[in-house]
Amino acid sequence: MIYLYDLLIKNGTIVDPIKGKEKLNIAVKNGIIAKLTKEFLPTNKEINVDGQYISPGFIDIHIHEDKLENNKIEFDIFKTMALMGVTTAVGGNCGFSSQNLSNYFESLERQKPLINYLGLSGYGSLREKAGVKDNYKHISDSKIKEIKRLLKEDLEAGSLGLSFGLEYTPGLTTKEMIELSELVAEYPQRLVTAHYRFDSVRALESIAELIIIAREAGNKMQISHLGSCTAYGQTAEALKMIEQANKAGIDIMADIYPYDAFSSYIGSAVFDAGCFEKWGIDYEAVKILEGKYKGQECTEKIFNYLRKNEVDTLVAVSAMDESEIVEAIKNPLLMIASDGLLNQGQGHPRSAGTCPRVIAKYVRKEKQISLKNAVNKMTNLPAQRIGLSKKGRIKEGYDADLTIFDFNTIEDNASFEQPTKAPTGINHVLIKGVEIVKNSELTGQRSAEVIKL
Ligand SMILES: [Zn+2]
């Protein structure tokens, strides 16, 4: 038989981020949500999701993608993303991207991406490509000109925009940031993201700097992982500043991950002298996530050894205030993003746990936010932020990117000991109507694309 539709997802409850819950079957045709209906339309393929919820596929606006090495990308983080229901992710954040973005796009297309991918150009990577080695140094006008040329090349090749990692490149000036952000603003739909210059005691001046840049350059500004910037007593004030900026017509929003520990490379400027005093913690609050000291309690001696000899070691630091994380998550200008980063399968559990954790912890157990609101912050809000007009909703005519989960059993299982452990309860994940995850396991099917602007 030839039927009108390719697939029927039946007996589930859709959770649309705007309209909310409704028990409807979804008929898919050519990768698109063709009909939402109470009827049981005949199709060749059916997925029975009785008792489960169907959300638009999660959109993670902030990840650190797997690197291209020897012309190949190992799909580590793309796998953990798919298994936690993420169907579209944005890489190239915090100033780190492939130095040759169009080559990365091509390689990913050749290998067929597991999830939809958009890439930002990382300022730090462009700076390195322009031949600047010292991250602490201000650079000459001719070097700025060269970085602008490289950025323009990337924007023409389809980059989503520019990411700054101010804390990693202290030599970057506000003036240079404005100049580069102006260039990004010339292209429609493009975004500037920023990992702020300072955290904790100097968080508010960092937020103010990003507001000034967006005001002067007229770009869309996204503050990355706000919690690790301000959840040391500055969150309430920072949210007020962001709200006021929006009222004044400045387009600035932020994202956050649902954990009170942050993670970074031990050799980076994040851990420069004075960091422990400002966070009010001791060496034992540092968790070593990889290498020969993994799992051991950090001491001054181990810390100094790694800072000097193993600079690329990922560590996590428990220093943030959980109640401030919740306060930020509740704010309408914030969306959820994982900041996921894996180094040969090691790292922070946020890479594999972020989305299910939001639903299990903040919706079901603590009742801090509604399911509809949580879904909105993981689908519609980020889709709008990056201008994906056919994603982020369950609506006729939209892409059939769908995440199907059991609300009663959903659980993030990833931990610092097992950072890539898959969640429970995320049963099916579809991209363009194709099941990339079935019964909580990868199927090997590929239907995702590299989204170039
Ligand atoms: Zn960052």
Side-chain angles (χ1 to χ4, degrees):
M1 275 293 284
I2 295 174
Y3 296 114
L4 191 53
Y5 301 104
D6 307 326
L7 165 72
L8 188 75
I9 302 165
K10 65 177 190 183
N11 297 321
T13 299
I14 65 165
V15 186
D16 178 68
I18 303 299
K19 287 183 158 177
K21 276 186 258 180
E22 196 177 354
K23 206 161 188 303
L24 286 171
N25 303 320
I26 302 177
V28 176
K29 170 113 186 141
N30 296 330
I32 307 292
I33 298 171
K35 201 167 174 60
L36 297 174
T37 176
K38 297 223 183 272
E39 289 172 64
F40 291 88
L41 302 167
T43 52
N44 281 322
K45 187 173 156 61
E46 285 187 348
I47 305 175
N48 185 5
V49 296
D50 201 3
Q52 298 174 54
Y53 284 152
I54 309 167
S55 162
F58 301 142
I59 298 174
D60 191 338
I61 196 171
H62 189 119
I63 73 158
H64 296 277
E65 67 278 52
D66 301 308
K67 290 190 185 110
L68 176 65
E69 272 160 320
N70 306 323
N71 237 350
K72 200 167 179 285
I73 300 161
E74 291 299 335
F75 287 162
D76 277 342
I77 197 142
F78 289 125
K79 275 183 195 160
T80 60
M81 288 286 145
L83 289 168
M84 73 164 172
V86 172
T87 52
T88 301
V90 176
N93 278 287
C94 300
F96 308 116
S97 67
S98 168
Q99 279 186 22
N100 189 335
L101 204 60
S102 47
N103 186 28
Y104 190 84
F105 287 157
E106 259 172 50
S107 308
L108 199 50
E109 274 166 348
R110 196 176 51 241
Q111 275 182 249
K112 295 209 169 79
L114 186 54
I115 58 172
N116 300 313
Y117 172 84
L118 295 93
L120 292 157
S121 312
Y123 169 80
S125 304
L126 294 178
R127 188 172 154 115
E128 227 179 282
K129 196 174 176 183
V132 186
K133 292 211 169 66
D134 185 348
N135 288 332
Y136 292 83
K137 191 175 115 186
H138 295 319
I139 58 173
S140 64
D141 285 348
S142 68
K143 284 289 180 200
I144 296 176
K145 222 173 140 188
E146 171 64 2
I147 289 173
K148 271 175 97 169
R149 191 188 65 76
L150 294 169
L151 174 60
K152 200 173 159 77
E153 223 172 71
D154 276 3
L155 292 167
E156 303 283 341
S159 163
L160 174 64
L162 176 63
S163 79
F164 290 114
L166 283 148
E167 205 171 14
Y168 302 114
T169 44
L172 170 60
T173 65
T174 309
K175 186 171 160 283
E176 184 186 351
M177 288 177 77
I178 293 172
E179 223 179 301
L180 296 170
S181 301
E182 274 171 347
L183 175 60
V184 176
E186 284 173 21
Y187 292 77
Q189 208 182 325
R190 311 301 167 107
L191 188 66
V192 174
T193 71
H195 173 138
Y196 42 81
R197 198 179 288 278
F198 306 111
D199 61 30
S200 64
V201 288
R202 296 184 72 183
L204 297 178
E205 64 181 280
S206 303
I207 303 295
E209 181 183 29
L210 301 180
I211 293 172
I212 289 168
I213 287 155
R215 187 188 71 204
E216 296 304 308
N219 62 287
K220 291 202 288 181
M221 175 66 82
Q222 181 80 8
I223 305 171
S224 298
H225 42 72
L226 185 77
S228 58
C229 180
T230 65
Y232 317 85
Q234 300 82 18
T235 301
E237 194 54 37
L239 293 174
K240 247 188 251 162
M241 289 166 70
I242 298 167
E243 280 164 6
Q244 274 165 7
N246 274 275
K247 279 189 194 130
I250 299 164
D251 188 352
I252 183 163
M253 295 176 89
D255 50 68
I256 188 162
Y257 51 81
Y259 294 86
D260 62 6
F262 66 81
S263 171
S264 196
Y265 295 107
I266 202 162
S268 75
V270 173
F271 295 99
D272 281 356
C275 65
F276 289 97
E277 290 79 3
K278 82 181 173 178
W279 297 324
I281 57 160
D282 215 333
Y283 291 98
E284 64 206 32
V286 176
K287 286 188 185 75
I288 301 155
L289 303 182
E290 56 178 340
K292 65 178 170 187
Y293 293 111
K294 182 183 167 164
Q296 273 194 40
E297 187 163 287
C298 188
T299 60
E300 185 173 2
K301 200 171 151 209
I302 293 175
F303 181 83
N304 290 334
Y305 171 83
L306 293 173
R307 276 280 286 175
K308 200 164 159 231
N309 302 303
E310 310 276 345
V311 293
D312 285 335
T313 304
L314 277 174
V315 297
V317 182
S318 303
M320 291 181 258
D321 182 329
E322 169 70 14
S323 67
E324 289 184 67
I325 305 282
V326 174
E327 189 185 359
I329 285 178
K330 286 180 173 175
N331 189 287
L333 292 167
L334 268 86
M335 59 201 79
I336 305 291
S338 70
D339 192 14
L341 168 63
L342 289 176
N343 204 355
Q344 291 166 353
Q346 303 302 315
H348 189 295
R350 65 195 183 200
S351 306
T354 290
C355 301
R357 182 176 172 87
V358 167
I359 296 172
K361 182 171 160 56
Y362 295 122
V363 180
R364 191 184 65 221
K365 291 178 200 161
E366 298 181 9
K367 301 185 171 50
Q368 302 278 7
I369 55 172
S370 70
L371 179 62
K372 184 176 131 183
N373 194 9
V375 166
N376 187 42
K377 286 171 181 290
M378 298 193 284
T379 59
N380 178 52
L381 208 54
Q384 287 186 343
R385 195 65 182 141
I386 53 178
L388 300 178
S389 60
K390 294 293 176 203
K391 294 192 192 293
R393 298 278 312 269
I394 298 193
K395 215 175 152 182
E396 288 172 7
Y398 274 59
D399 292 342
D401 294 358
L402 302 165
T403 293
I404 300 168
F405 60 92
D406 183 335
F407 181 72
N408 297 315
T409 61
I410 192 170
E411 207 71 62
D412 58 302
N413 298 322
S415 62
F416 285 101
E417 291 71 38
Q418 293 178 289
T420 60
K421 195 166 182 205
T424 308
I426 297 194
N427 301 327
H428 306 264
V429 181
L430 289 83
I431 293 179
K432 287 263 182 174
V434 176
E435 266 183 301
I436 61 157
V437 172
K438 184 181 182 179
N439 301 327
S440 303
E441 278 177 29
L442 294 167
T443 61
Q445 296 202 76
R446 298 286 162 91
S447 52
E449 58 184 342
V450 176
I451 302 173
K452 290 177 280 192
L453 298 191

